[in-house]
Amino acid sequence: MAAAQLPTVPVPVELPALGPSTYFDDTQWQVLLSIIDAVIPSIVVGSAAGENEKHHLQISQSQCNESYEYIQQVTSHPPAFEEFIEYLGARPLENQLFLGQVRRTLNSLPPHSKRQLGGLLSLLATRLGSLAATGYTTPIHEQPIRIREAILRSWQGSWFKIWPVLANSILTLTRLCWAQTDHHFRQLNGYIDYPRHYRPGPAFDFGFMQFGEGSEPETVETDVVIVGSGCGGAVCAKVLAEAGHRVVVVDKGYYFPPSQLPMRLDAGQEYLYEAKGRIQSVDNSISILAGSCWGGGGTINWSVSLHPQGYVRQEWADQGLEFFTTAEFQHCLDRVCAVMGVSDAHIKHNYGARAILEDAKPCPQNTGGAEHRCGHCGMGCGSAEKKGTAVSWLPAAAKAGAQFIEGFNVSKVLFDDSDGTKQAIGVFGKWTSRDEHGQVHTPESSRIQRSVYVKAKKVIVACGTLQSPLLLMRSGLKNPHIGRHLYVHPVGMVNAAFDDVVKGWEGGIITSVCTSFENLDGKGHGVKIETSAMTPNLVIFGHPWHSSLQWKLDILRYRQMNNFIAVARDRDTGRVYPSPDDGQPVIAYTPSDFDRAHILAGQVAIAKLCYIRGATEIWPFVAGVPSFVRRRPQQRRRSSAATTDAETAAAADGKSDDEGDDYDIDNIDQGINDPDFAAWLRVLEAADNRPPLTLYGSAHQMGTCRMSAREADGVVDPRGRVWGAGNLFVADASVFPSASGVNPMITIMGIADWIARNVSKELRRAK
């Protein structure tokens, strides 16, 4: 029998049907779409627009020609003129995929965010409100695009906080949805959503538990129930199952096999991330990404496998947690790395990694010794070369007898306090099946839903830093530290374009890290410089927007761009708490002056590294700072206001510019001493990077159930046991005493290994 043919592209994952959008009335939608239209409009030569300035931004024929000549100069593969005109003229509001993604994004916003946005849209629809917000009595949706574009620019720099927040929110929404749906961008840049030479890895049959229809709750009994299948929960499952204990792992997310990975950007956000990848802090200063699927963060992280550094371990030990400086903790770290084959021996750096490699070190990867040139793992790893949780830890737990429930949303931990002490005895929640075809895009109401009790001797909460504290709160625990001490490793970004074709979405994502700026205060706080995944949803949404034409022209250079990040080990913290509307996480966090100074120093360092590498243009994601455009020596000379005597003499002798004085400082490459670059750096160094004008990102969250030596100082004890509650443990990044300063996967796993081994000892003693 012939072997089944493997797919050459990932199997598409269908999106849920769009829900109602009645949270805005017709006028509010008109106002919103008119502003969106001004962010990325149809740009046409004046005569082609006719009289409809509301739907097109008009430019002159000379502007069009100059723009095309510019693109021919700065891109290695410029489009044909007809393609260029078609790209500029495309109007996202006429693309049904774009409109659908806008609605899908807004549908997923928390109720309070919809109310706030709706109120502003209603205000802008009135003449008085328009006058206050725009300086015009004509409402914004009745203005031509050129006026709407100018209003957006004015909002970006407004002293009234509400307007830059609104501008940034709509800019982000528009750019993100455009990046996910525009076929011109993909075609002209050669971007695809999966690696070239795609070949999916093997799937694993987890044998998920199923329940029939019924009005009475189902009951499952086990030794240990683990809530969450991410980096902490998966390690606990393997350790405990292999120790001979009965283990049940539950997760609200669903399993997607390698043949469906990496997902398209829109599907990946829908199914793989917490809140569909759309969490913003209360003040909109920071965007939060956290995994929420089978395998959790281990399914969507980027393979980086760094140990916590000595000064961080010592800081934790100085808080009374001496375990972190012991050989035993190192053994835990070494064990988890061995399971995943962590190594830096097979790394092949892509363009961005080489740009920072001169002052950097290679990053070990959890790829089992494979080279793994996949830049799309943020949407799931199709090759299964990345030995993430759903590829290594959870299958190993299954082989040792662990059982699993996907689609199970735990509402609370159950306790028995009959003897006067609070003892965890299990969890309760709601299970939602797949549909009859094994799909999860159909309405939950059309699938089997069942209340389920999981009774257990031990409960391990591993829902992640955003959800674990909320589960403890819902379960009635009152410790004041729950949800506080939130660290997020705030990130500042820099885009850079090069002469070479970069295709930053190909090759490994983070294979080198620059640590020269990690200890800027002498106490372990600073930044690490890394490359970022170049999937458009992570880069284009924040690329600086000063005008629609500038932005569209910039994005035509995407294949020659790389994105770099300054990842801060933050000193100052925030908190997470449940929304009063729906109980979902609300993030109260603003990067402090202290931490923002470090991020800015990192962005300055990135700019220097990119300049040395030959970047032709550098865009820091810092409000009010223009891009740096590198001028060639000839360009610099020609821009001089006066002609020197030597140049005049050379011209009289019939010599060309290049035959003049070879020692003329403007004729040579001055490297990092380029006066243009030095002047621009001074502008960047002096920039005001306060939010909401400047925005930040986060992919690492820690600390909301922090470990402590004393009950008065934290949520869990040095063995992960929740203070004041027997048989209840937390094993994820929320237990970190402070920010790890490195990509946290290995630290999470090492701590989970330690906690699980101690849980196993308790279970054996109780027999």
Side-chain angles (χ1 to χ4, degrees):
M1 182 181 293
Q5 187 172 0
L6 293 172
T8 57
V9 298
V11 177
V13 179
E14 192 167 343
L15 290 169
L18 280 171
S21 54
T22 52
Y23 42 85
F24 294 155
D25 61 31
D26 289 345
T27 301
Q28 290 170 324
W29 275 112
Q30 287 178 31
V31 173
L32 176 60
L33 292 177
S34 74
I35 303 173
I36 287 174
D37 205 15
V39 177
I40 310 177
S42 166
I43 302 175
V44 298
V45 176
S47 59
E51 297 181 357
N52 197 348
E53 286 191 284
K54 287 189 67 175
H55 293 163
H56 306 280
L57 180 66
Q58 297 181 21
I59 60 174
S60 66
Q61 186 65 58
S62 62
Q63 280 180 292
C64 179
N65 293 340
E66 289 170 4
S67 297
Y68 185 62
E69 289 173 7
Y70 164 76
I71 288 298
Q72 287 181 305
Q73 293 170 4
V74 299
T75 59
S76 57
H77 296 76
F81 185 71
E82 294 76 14
E83 293 176 315
F84 177 73
I85 292 297
E86 184 178 1
Y87 168 75
L88 287 186
R91 186 178 182 225
L93 290 193
E94 295 175 358
N95 178 352
Q96 291 303 311
L97 290 176
F98 174 84
L99 288 172
Q101 195 59 21
V102 168
R103 279 185 54 191
R104 192 177 302 280
T105 302
L106 293 172
N107 287 353
S108 67
L109 289 180
H112 70 274
S113 297
K114 292 174 184 171
R115 290 193 295 268
Q116 290 174 352
L117 179 55
L120 288 173
L121 297 174
S122 293
L123 177 69
L124 290 168
T126 67
R127 296 177 68 84
L128 185 59
S130 180
L131 179 63
T134 72
Y136 297 94
T137 56
T138 302
I140 191 169
H141 61 293
E142 297 176 6
Q143 295 278 17
I145 280 186
R146 59 183 174 80
I147 299 296
R148 282 178 261 151
E149 183 187 56
I151 289 169
L152 263 176
R153 282 198 296 269
S154 71
W155 284 350
Q156 285 182 296
S158 174
W159 288 98
F160 295 98
K161 183 178 178 180
I162 190 172
W163 302 121
V165 168
L166 178 63
N168 284 333
S169 296
I170 295 178
L171 283 164
T172 298
L173 168 69
T174 306
R175 291 175 294 188
L176 180 61
C177 294
W178 184 88
Q180 294 172 340
T181 59
D182 189 81
H183 73 277
H184 297 287
F185 157 74
R186 292 162 183 265
Q187 179 182 348
L188 296 179
N189 281 287
Y191 176 82
I192 55 176
D193 281 323
Y194 51 89
R196 290 184 298 167
H197 314 300
Y198 173 79
R199 185 180 179 86
F204 186 83
D205 183 4
F206 285 99
F208 292 108
M209 297 176 69
Q210 303 295 314
F211 306 99
E213 295 188 53
S215 57
E216 294 298 316
E218 189 78 37
T219 299
V220 176
E221 294 190 5
T222 187
D223 292 333
V224 184
V225 60
I226 301 170
V227 185
S229 61
C231 295
V235 170
C236 289
K238 177 181 183 295
V239 170
L240 289 163
E242 290 180 345
H245 307 294
R246 295 178 302 157
V247 174
V248 173
V249 180
V250 305
D251 199 297
K252 66 180 179 180
Y254 293 88
Y255 172 62
F256 296 94
S259 60
Q260 293 181 314
L261 305 174
M263 290 189 190
R264 297 187 321 270
L265 301 180
D266 53 358
Q269 284 199 284
E270 181 75 24
Y271 294 116
L272 302 180
Y273 286 89
E274 185 71 41
K276 307 184 190 306
R278 295 165 189 137
I279 302 179
Q280 297 279 330
S281 59
V282 172
D283 64 355
N284 290 284
S285 64
I286 192 161
S287 298
I288 304 286
L289 284 178
S292 182
C293 55
W294 188 253
T299 294
I300 50 85
N301 67 11
W302 301 350
S303 300
V304 182
S305 302
L306 297 172
H307 286 214
Q309 291 164 285
Y311 61 83
V312 174
R313 299 188 211 185
Q314 187 61 55
E315 177 183 300
W316 294 355
D318 290 344
Q319 297 176 24
L321 302 168
E322 292 87 356
F323 165 70
F324 289 110
T325 53
T326 65
E328 180 57 35
F329 181 49
Q330 186 60 50
H331 294 331
C332 294
L333 298 171
D334 293 339
R335 273 194 296 267
V336 300
C337 288
V339 169
M340 299 182 291
V342 170
S343 170
D344 62 8
H346 297 82
I347 289 173
K348 185 174 181 179
H349 299 293
N350 66 7
Y351 195 97
R354 292 196 301 273
I356 64 172
L357 193 58
E358 183 176 336
D359 199 23
K361 60 182 181 182
C363 288
Q365 310 281 299
N366 66 331
T367 56
E371 183 181 311
H372 192 55
R373 290 182 58 76
C374 172
H376 299 269
C377 277
M379 293 292 140
C381 181
S383 69
E385 288 178 344
K386 181 180 77 175
K387 304 305 178 186
T389 42
V391 173
S392 58
W393 295 95
L394 293 168
K399 292 171 184 175
Q403 294 179 291
F404 308 98
I405 309 176
E406 62 173 355
F408 184 37
N409 202 335
V410 174
S411 57
K412 61 181 178 180
V413 177
L414 303 173
F415 294 100
D416 178 5
D417 57 3
S418 58
D419 65 353
T421 62
K422 189 181 287 288
Q423 302 292 321
I425 58 171
V427 298
F428 175 77
K430 183 173 72 175
W431 172 75
T432 303
S433 74
R434 293 173 179 258
D435 67 17
E436 64 270 24
H437 304 294
Q439 303 299 313
V440 296
H441 68 276
T442 50
E444 291 186 359
S445 59
S446 69
R447 298 181 255 152
I448 298 174
Q449 294 187 306
R450 192 78 182 269
S451 295
V452 178
Y453 287 101
V454 181
K455 295 183 178 180
K457 300 172 184 176
K458 304 287 183 183
V459 176
I460 298 177
V461 173
C463 313
T465 296
L466 304 184
Q467 289 287 359
S468 286
L470 269 58
L471 176 55
L472 298 186
M473 292 178 192
R474 291 197 302 270
S475 304
L477 298 181
K478 303 298 184 182
N479 186 320
H481 291 285
I482 296 174
R484 296 189 177 273
H485 318 296
L486 171 65
Y487 299 89
V488 304
H489 281 175
V491 166
M493 295 185 178
V494 176
N495 272 356
F498 300 86
D499 283 330
D500 300 323
V501 173
V502 172
K503 289 192 175 181
W505 57 87
E506 295 183 353
I509 299 175
I510 300 178
T511 57
S512 63
V513 56
C514 173
T515 59
S516 300
F517 307 93
E518 67 182 5
N519 191 14
L520 294 175
D521 71 338
K523 298 180 180 179
H525 299 104
V527 292
K528 288 181 172 63
I529 294 173
E530 301 175 341
T531 52
S532 174
M534 281 295 290
T535 50
N537 62 312
L538 296 178
V539 178
I540 287 180
F541 85 93
H543 184 83
W545 183 97
H546 306 295
S547 74
S548 54
L549 179 60
Q550 160 263 322
W551 196 84
K552 273 195 165 183
L553 294 179
D554 283 353
I555 301 306
L556 273 179
R557 304 167 69 184
Y558 195 70
R559 73 166 75 211
Q560 292 168 238
M561 285 185 187
N562 234 115
N563 181 260
F564 303 87
I565 52 178
V567 185
R569 180 175 186 248
D570 38 343
R571 181 194 69 179
D572 301 318
T573 65
R575 68 185 181 104
V576 58
Y577 58 92
S579 165
D581 291 317
D582 55 11
Q584 292 306 302
V586 177
I587 310 298
Y589 183 99
T590 304
S592 68
D593 293 350
F594 177 87
D595 293 321
R596 284 188 290 101
H598 291 168
I599 294 171
L600 187 60
Q603 290 171 301
V604 169
I606 291 170
K608 292 178 180 179
L609 289 168
C610 290
Y611 183 93
I612 293 169
R613 186 69 184 179
T616 55
E617 189 162 0
I618 302 169
W619 297 267
F621 289 21
V622 179
V625 178
S627 64
F628 171 76
V629 180
R630 190 189 209 110
R631 291 191 295 163
R632 310 299 186 189
Q634 286 186 347
Q635 291 175 308
R636 188 177 298 112
R637 191 166 64 250
R638 288 168 185 162
S639 69
S640 177
T643 302
T644 66
D645 292 340
E647 287 172 328
T648 303
D653 290 339
K655 296 179 181 178
S656 68
D657 287 344
D658 292 336
E659 293 173 303
D661 185 358
D662 288 338
Y663 193 69
D664 184 343
I665 195 68
D666 281 337
N667 289 349
I668 63 175
D669 183 355
Q670 299 176 60
I672 203 73
N673 296 315
D674 174 358
D676 291 346
F677 184 60
W680 179 81
L681 278 181
R682 288 193 291 272
V683 173
L684 177 57
E685 290 167 339
D688 182 351
N689 64 349
R690 285 176 296 179
L693 299 182
T694 296
L695 303 180
Y696 299 87
S698 164
H700 308 152
Q701 301 87 43
M702 301 148 280
T704 53
C705 297
R706 76 176 181 187
M707 187 177 286
S708 62
R710 300 187 313 135
E711 184 171 356
D713 297 330
V715 178
V716 303
D717 72 12
R719 295 178 184 268
R721 185 187 296 104
V722 174
W723 289 110
N727 300 321
L728 178 61
F729 300 80
V730 180
D732 55 31
S734 71
V735 305
F736 288 12
S738 62
S740 63
V742 294
N743 303 60
M745 175 178 66
I746 297 301
T747 309
I748 296 169
M749 289 181 166
I751 293 174
D753 179 83
W754 162 252
I755 291 171
R757 290 175 188 279
N758 282 291
V759 170
S760 179
K761 290 176 183 177
E762 289 190 14
L763 287 167
R764 286 199 299 270
R765 284 197 298 266
K767 287 185 178 180

